[in-house]
Amino acid sequence: MSGRVGELSAKQADSLTQFRYRIGDILPELPAQHDHYLLRWLRARSFSVPKAELMIRKHVEFRKNMKADTIISDWTPPEVITRYVSGGMCGHDKDGNPIWYDVLGPLDPKGLLMSASKQDFLRTKMRNMEMLQRECQKQSEKLGVNVESVTLIYDCEGLGFKHLWKPAIETYGEILTMFEDNYPEGLKRVFLIKAPKLFPMAYTLIKHFLSEETRHKLIILGGDWQEVLRKHVDAEQLPVVYGGTRTDPDGDPRCRTMINYGGIVPRSYYIQNSIKVQYDTSVTVSRGAVLQLDYHVTAPCSLLSSLAPREHKMPPKHYFYIKPQHTRYFCKLHATGGSSPATGPTSALGCTDARRRVTSRRWRTCCRWSPANVTMRTWCPRTI
């Protein structure tokens, strides 16, 4: 059984009765009290009543702390977030679910985090979700059916290394965790369109924030993405830029009155000059010493990146792109000209065990592999 109203097994129906009884003291504090709403929490915890109760009680505290009931009317995001955080709600799918667009390419994560607090971002995302929940309620009343989830369209065109900046990933992880913990079953499906080659690496960094149920709702579309979207969204509900016929009243095919496309944040908005990045480890490699770092890598065509030592004039970033089937790749971090503080993350997302080596004066790699069909490229892009 699906675990939804009208599709409950005898055991699931009994769990719903128990759940409603056990949370009777907090029911008035919830945004909804009907069975559709309560079943979302039970489905999120596989109909374990104790786990669902713990989850929803934490949610009640969350709503109190974040003032969720009045956040739409009583709180306005900072101007920099309103102007430069991309995304927006535009139209409904064929079942009446509201559609939210996230446009990643123009987003300036570093500029935004330099210009506003992490708490402001969390509150903004929560405010957006509360608006979407209200839209679901309106659609339910309008259509006479239960509408409780959102269709999400991720436009991944322009996804680059700037989006993988560690503080940005951490912030995005907190946002995803907030959604998973407080808006269970809030996603109907997620369409990812125009995904670049970097996408698998980006997904690896954030997928552990997602529940298994959410991962199953991700749909990565190929070159026929417009045709697929039109199967789920009527053309008049889909902006022209995404394959539909909808425009703004002034004829704008991007529907900018509903979808914000972000952009580079001007430095005039900055409230700080830098953000301290916390790494898992920090080591000093003395002259002549060797530091060996071992990583187990599972996926081919991935990227191993490392930060250069801070106190030496070396390339700011160095990447090893490994494209084998099952190989073994060795590198060591080796200091020859004096003590070299090496600080930073090493994300090994390739298909082998990996070690790296770099000198205090210049980058040097030492590689052995088997079998022979290995391609390795190194380059130094601009600082992220």
Side-chain angles (χ1 to χ4, degrees):
M1 307 296 283
S2 70
R4 299 177 186 276
V5 173
E7 299 178 355
L8 297 177
S9 66
K11 186 176 180 180
Q12 289 172 338
D14 183 59
S15 295
L16 175 60
T17 302
Q18 291 183 44
F19 185 50
R20 179 179 289 277
Y21 174 76
R22 292 178 62 155
I23 63 170
D25 58 313
I26 60 170
L27 270 177
E29 302 177 56
L30 296 174
Q33 293 82 37
H34 50 70
D35 288 349
H36 293 287
Y37 182 74
L38 298 185
L39 284 170
R40 291 170 59 178
W41 300 88
L42 285 168
R43 291 197 302 271
R45 290 297 179 264
S46 302
F47 278 83
S48 170
V49 175
K51 291 181 179 179
E53 179 186 359
L54 177 62
M55 185 183 188
I56 202 169
R57 288 188 181 280
K58 288 182 177 180
H59 174 65
V60 169
E61 291 302 314
F62 168 83
R63 297 188 69 84
K64 290 178 181 178
N65 294 334
M66 299 293 281
K67 300 180 180 178
D69 293 333
T70 59
I71 193 170
I72 296 176
S73 59
D74 294 353
W75 185 78
T76 302
E79 180 182 314
V80 66
I81 291 180
T82 302
R83 295 187 62 179
Y84 294 100
V85 171
S86 55
M89 181 174 63
C90 180
H92 304 86
D93 66 17
K94 291 186 177 182
D95 295 324
N97 301 78
I99 304 173
W100 183 273
Y101 293 81
D102 263 332
V103 188
L104 299 184
L107 197 66
D108 178 13
K110 191 169 185 177
L112 287 167
L113 288 175
M114 292 287 194
S115 306
S117 69
K118 185 184 294 186
Q119 188 69 6
D120 284 333
F121 286 105
L122 292 173
R123 297 191 74 189
T124 299
K125 290 299 183 179
M126 188 197 73
R127 186 176 186 270
N128 292 341
M129 197 61 187
E130 289 293 317
M131 292 173 60
L132 287 166
Q133 294 298 297
R134 291 191 183 185
E135 183 65 21
C136 286
Q137 183 179 350
K138 291 179 182 178
Q139 286 295 102
S140 297
E141 296 170 356
K142 176 182 177 181
L143 301 175
V145 297
N146 182 56
V147 176
E148 61 183 12
S149 56
V150 177
T151 290
L152 184 59
I153 298 177
Y154 263 98
D155 185 346
C156 300
E157 185 176 22
L159 176 68
F161 286 111
K162 69 176 182 179
H163 300 102
L164 307 186
W165 185 45
K166 190 171 187 288
I169 292 293
E170 291 173 346
T171 301
Y172 196 54
E174 289 188 36
I175 292 171
L176 292 176
T177 300
M178 178 184 70
F179 286 161
E180 292 281 357
D181 291 345
N182 295 283
Y183 301 95
E185 299 290 302
L187 280 178
K188 181 180 179 181
R189 60 174 66 92
V190 182
F191 293 110
L192 296 117
I193 63 174
K194 297 182 278 187
K197 292 182 179 180
L198 188 65
F199 174 77
M201 177 173 144
Y203 178 63
T204 299
L205 294 176
I206 61 95
K207 69 179 181 180
H208 61 281
F209 296 110
L210 304 174
S211 67
E212 193 66 29
E213 292 75 14
T214 300
R215 295 182 201 180
H216 289 158
K217 296 176 182 178
L218 301 180
I219 304 172
I220 303 175
L221 303 183
D224 62 341
W225 60 269
Q226 291 186 345
E227 180 182 344
V228 175
L229 289 182
R230 285 193 294 267
K231 292 180 180 179
H232 297 272
V233 184
D234 290 327
E236 60 268 21
Q237 294 287 324
L238 197 63
V240 171
V241 71
Y242 291 111
T245 60
R246 184 168 188 162
T247 65
D248 270 344
D250 62 357
D252 184 356
R254 292 182 175 272
C255 297
R256 286 185 174 89
T257 61
M258 292 169 278
I259 304 173
N260 187 11
Y261 287 86
I264 301 299
V265 178
R267 287 188 169 269
S268 58
Y269 282 103
Y270 283 21
I271 58 176
Q272 54 186 329
N273 295 321
S274 63
I275 294 177
K276 185 177 181 181
V277 182
Q278 296 292 335
Y279 297 116
D280 294 336
T281 58
S282 177
V283 296
T284 298
V285 184
S286 303
R287 185 175 63 179
V290 174
L291 175 66
Q292 178 175 298
L293 304 173
D294 296 329
Y295 299 91
H296 178 64
V297 200
T298 58
C301 302
S302 301
L303 203 63
L304 169 65
S305 68
S306 58
L307 291 180
R310 294 176 299 176
E311 300 179 5
H312 296 269
K313 295 181 179 180
M314 300 170 58
K317 268 206 178 262
H318 206 68
Y319 297 92
F320 303 96
Y321 181 79
I322 311 171
K323 189 181 180 182
Q325 282 300 327
H326 293 285
T327 70
R328 185 168 294 276
Y329 174 67
F330 299 94
C331 283
K332 294 179 181 179
L333 182 63
H334 183 62
T336 58
S339 295
S340 175
T343 307
T346 300
S347 54
L349 305 173
C351 59
T352 65
D353 293 321
R355 302 170 188 169
R356 57 185 178 149
R357 175 167 80 178
V358 63
T359 71
S360 60
R361 295 179 181 173
R362 64 186 180 278
W363 286 93
R364 189 188 306 169
T365 60
C366 174
C367 310
R368 300 193 300 274
W369 53 80
S370 176
N373 60 336
V374 177
T375 301
M376 187 186 74
R377 293 181 289 158
T378 64
W379 70 98
C380 300
R382 68 179 180 82
T383 304
I384 296 177

